Amino acid sequence: MIEFSWITASILLFSAALGGLVRRLSGFGGALIMSPLLMWFFPVPFFLPIVMSAELLGGMWLFTQWKVNKEDIPSLYRMWVLAAILLPFGIFLGGVVPLTALKITTGIVVIAFSIFLLIRVNLAITLSAFRDYLIGALSGLLLGSCGIGGPPVALYLNASGLEFERSRALLSQFVSGVCLLAIVAASLMGGGIDWLPWLLFALPAYFFGMFLAKTLLERRELSASAIKKFCLYLLIVNAAFNLGVLALL
């Protein structure tokens, strides 16, 4: 059982609000914001269900707005299957690797992923069954060990040349599905249900962030490029801050 403190609660609320903001704008990224911050206060199997539950509930709200293209449904299922298989191995890995190493790895992955998308490396990768399985496996492994599973799928879809709205819907649905898998796996592998009160505490902040993003989108015409850049810069700043704090300790 994690002992309550106002510092921990404040960080949880702050990260949840930022996570909801980014998730509503880009279709993913909530975990990329929340996990690096929460890793300072909670074990991975404990905070993983908190983050994933918020992402899952947020995804259920977005489900009615972003529909996955029929052509993309087989890819979605294939990625889900391999993510489900590799997720428990990732949780096990996260339990044996030193926490400092996990923090560094998480920060580097988030920064590298964000910079890669910002510089727009021209890759042309067509969606295929083999690549779907491979990316799903990488996502499940990362999600279980570090609490972030979106980068491999986001990079894959970005390189596929799919339209932003189409890839955003597919990514959002994938994230929602692996969230449910992660909640079950983490709870069975050490998290229990002690995380539930913390989730109830964080949810209002998460949905407040989503509401802010919705208001921003309604009041101002933002291009897909502007939304993407804002979210990626926010991810970089968040990850760099965590790495900076780690370097000072």
Side-chain angles (χ1 to χ4, degrees), residues 9 21 48 70 85 95-96 124 135 151 157 171 203 208 231 234 249:
L21 178 75
L48 192 58
K70 289 183 179 180
I85 294 173
V96 297
I135 295 301
L157 297 179
L171 182 58
L203 279 180
F208 175 70
C231 293
L234 189 59
L249 295 178

Side-chain angles (χ1 to χ4, degrees), residues 29-36 39 47-48 51-52 105-110 138-152:
L32 296 181
I33 287 286
M34 297 175 70
S35 294
M39 199 174 284
F47 79 72
L48 192 58
V51 175
M52 294 299 104
T105 301
T106 302
I108 291 174
V109 167
V110 172
L138 288 174
S139 177
L141 198 61
L142 262 180
L143 179 59
S145 59
C146 303
I148 55 173

Side-chain angles (χ1 to χ4, degrees), residues 164-203:
F164 176 71
E165 290 76 13
R166 183 175 167 185
S167 64
R168 181 173 63 176
L170 178 55
L171 182 58
S172 182
Q173 291 303 314
F174 172 78
V175 169
S176 296
V178 294
C179 284
L180 181 58
L181 297 171
I183 293 166
V184 174
S187 297
L188 292 175
M189 296 180 67
I193 59 171
D194 290 341
W195 51 269
L196 198 53
W198 291 94
L199 169 65
L200 299 177
F201 187 72
L203 279 180

Side-chain angles (χ1 to χ4, degrees), residues 3-216:
E3 189 173 334
F4 180 86
S5 77
W6 283 111
I7 294 177
T8 303
S10 298
I11 294 297
L12 178 59
L13 291 176
F14 175 73
S15 65
L18 277 184
L21 178 75
V22 172
R23 178 66 192 278
R24 177 62 183 85
L25 288 176
S26 65
F28 80 106
L32 296 181
I33 287 286
M34 297 175 70
S35 294
L37 289 171
L38 297 182
M39 199 174 284
W40 290 92
F41 301 94
F42 303 104
V44 175
F46 191 92
F47 79 72
L48 192 58
I50 299 173
V51 175
M52 294 299 104
S53 295
E55 290 279 75
L56 176 61
L57 294 172
M60 291 173 65
W61 179 39
L62 295 174
F63 178 78
T64 59
Q65 303 175 50
W66 298 341
K67 295 294 185 181
V68 177
N69 191 294
K70 289 183 179 180
E71 298 176 16
D72 299 328
I73 292 177
S75 291
L76 177 63
Y77 287 150
R78 284 191 289 262
M79 290 190 291
W80 272 344
V81 168
L82 263 293
I85 294 173
L86 270 294
L87 223 165
F89 291 97
I91 294 175
F92 172 78
L93 186 64
V96 297
V97 173
L99 184 58
T100 300
L102 284 179
K103 290 176 181 177
I104 294 173
T105 301
T106 302
I108 291 174
V109 167
V110 172
I111 291 175
F113 158 73
S114 302
I115 291 176
F116 188 88
L117 289 183
L118 278 172
I119 62 178
R120 298 181 179 180
V121 177
N122 291 321
L123 293 177
I125 300 176
T126 56
L127 300 180
S128 70
F130 173 76
R131 294 189 180 101
D132 293 341
Y133 287 129
L134 176 62
I135 295 301
L138 288 174
S139 177
L141 198 61
L142 262 180
L143 179 59
S145 59
C146 303
I148 55 173
V153 181
L155 290 174
Y156 177 46
L157 297 179
N158 183 72
S160 69
L162 293 178
E163 296 177 357
F164 176 71
E165 290 76 13
R166 183 175 167 185
S167 64
R168 181 173 63 176
L170 178 55
L171 182 58
S172 182
Q173 291 303 314
F174 172 78
V175 169
S176 296
V178 294
C179 284
L180 181 58
L181 297 171
I183 293 166
V184 174
S187 297
L188 292 175
M189 296 180 67
I193 59 171
D194 290 341
W195 51 269
L196 198 53
W198 291 94
L199 169 65
L200 299 177
F201 187 72
L203 279 180
Y206 185 87
F207 280 102
F208 175 70
M210 296 191 80
F211 173 76
L212 283 181
K214 181 175 182 290
T215 303
L216 180 64

